Amino acid sequence: MSSALHNLSDYDASRLPSADVLSRQRYAVIVSDWNSDVTYALLEGACKTLVDCGVTEENIDVVHVPGAVELTYAAADCLHDYNAVIVIGCVIKGDTPHFDYVCQSVTQGVTLLNSRGETPVIFSVLTTLDKRQALDRAGGRLGNKGTEGAYTAIRMANLVTL
């Protein structure tokens, strides 16, 4: 197995719909304020990517929630008003099992929302062992998972038309 690091934040713009199509679509980005030095960098990457691809700033709504567990509630509230919803959070493992419960709660919540088949909810929640791993994925050496979330949101919102 290769130990080389990969930056997965590059995407193929030819696989996206035209900017004309994207300019008429609405996206919600829900961000956890917990670990904000990480989550706000992910938020910046997501919003920049949406705009760079053709979504107008007026069609991007950002919703702040206190922590990762609250992401699912806010996402459920947004399902009917947007083409896609991106949830952004960062859970860093500590000395207690709290990490496991939070990660399981958010993962199951997003999976449940997606199983409804109404609006894609994109999981841009980092679950890392330490702060360095989180920063590496929030614009560091491993790219920006917010950027990847935005690209995924566009692809999923247009899955039928692509």
Side-chain angles (χ1 to χ4, degrees):
M1 180 190 299
S2 171
S3 62
L5 298 175
H6 297 283
N7 178 339
L8 302 176
S9 295
D10 296 325
Y11 55 90
D12 182 0
S14 71
R15 298 188 71 185
L16 300 178
S18 70
D20 182 56
V21 169
L22 292 174
S23 69
R24 295 187 306 268
Q25 294 184 338
R26 296 186 66 220
Y27 291 82
V29 184
I30 304 168
V31 60
S32 165
D33 292 333
W34 193 260
N35 291 317
S36 61
D37 54 334
V38 174
T39 60
Y40 291 5
L42 297 171
L43 172 64
E44 183 178 327
C47 290
K48 180 182 182 322
T49 300
L50 290 171
V51 169
D52 287 351
C53 289
V55 179
T56 64
E57 289 183 22
E58 299 79 32
N59 286 340
I60 302 169
D61 290 328
V62 176
V63 178
H64 289 264
V65 297
V69 171
E70 294 77 25
L71 292 168
T72 305
Y73 179 87
D77 192 49
C78 292
L79 289 181
H80 301 290
D81 298 321
Y82 297 93
N83 294 87
V85 176
I86 305 166
V87 295
I88 293 176
C90 176
V91 186
I92 299 172
K93 189 164 180 65
D95 296 328
T96 69
H98 181 73
F99 171 86
D100 299 318
Y101 300 124
V102 171
C103 294
Q104 183 178 20
S105 172
V106 177
T107 302
Q108 287 180 344
V110 169
T111 299
L112 178 63
L113 293 175
N114 278 318
S115 71
R116 294 180 184 175
E118 298 171 26
T119 301
V121 179
I122 308 308
F123 189 88
S124 288
V125 179
L126 300 181
T127 57
T128 63
L129 299 177
D130 57 44
K131 184 71 155 245
R132 177 80 265 145
Q133 288 179 345
L135 293 170
D136 285 345
R137 291 159 176 79
R141 67 191 183 108
L142 296 176
N144 187 309
K145 300 305 176 187
T147 296
E148 294 174 28
Y151 174 66
T152 302
I154 292 169
R155 294 272 321 272
M156 292 304 294
N158 295 281
L159 190 60
V160 175
T161 61
L162 293 178

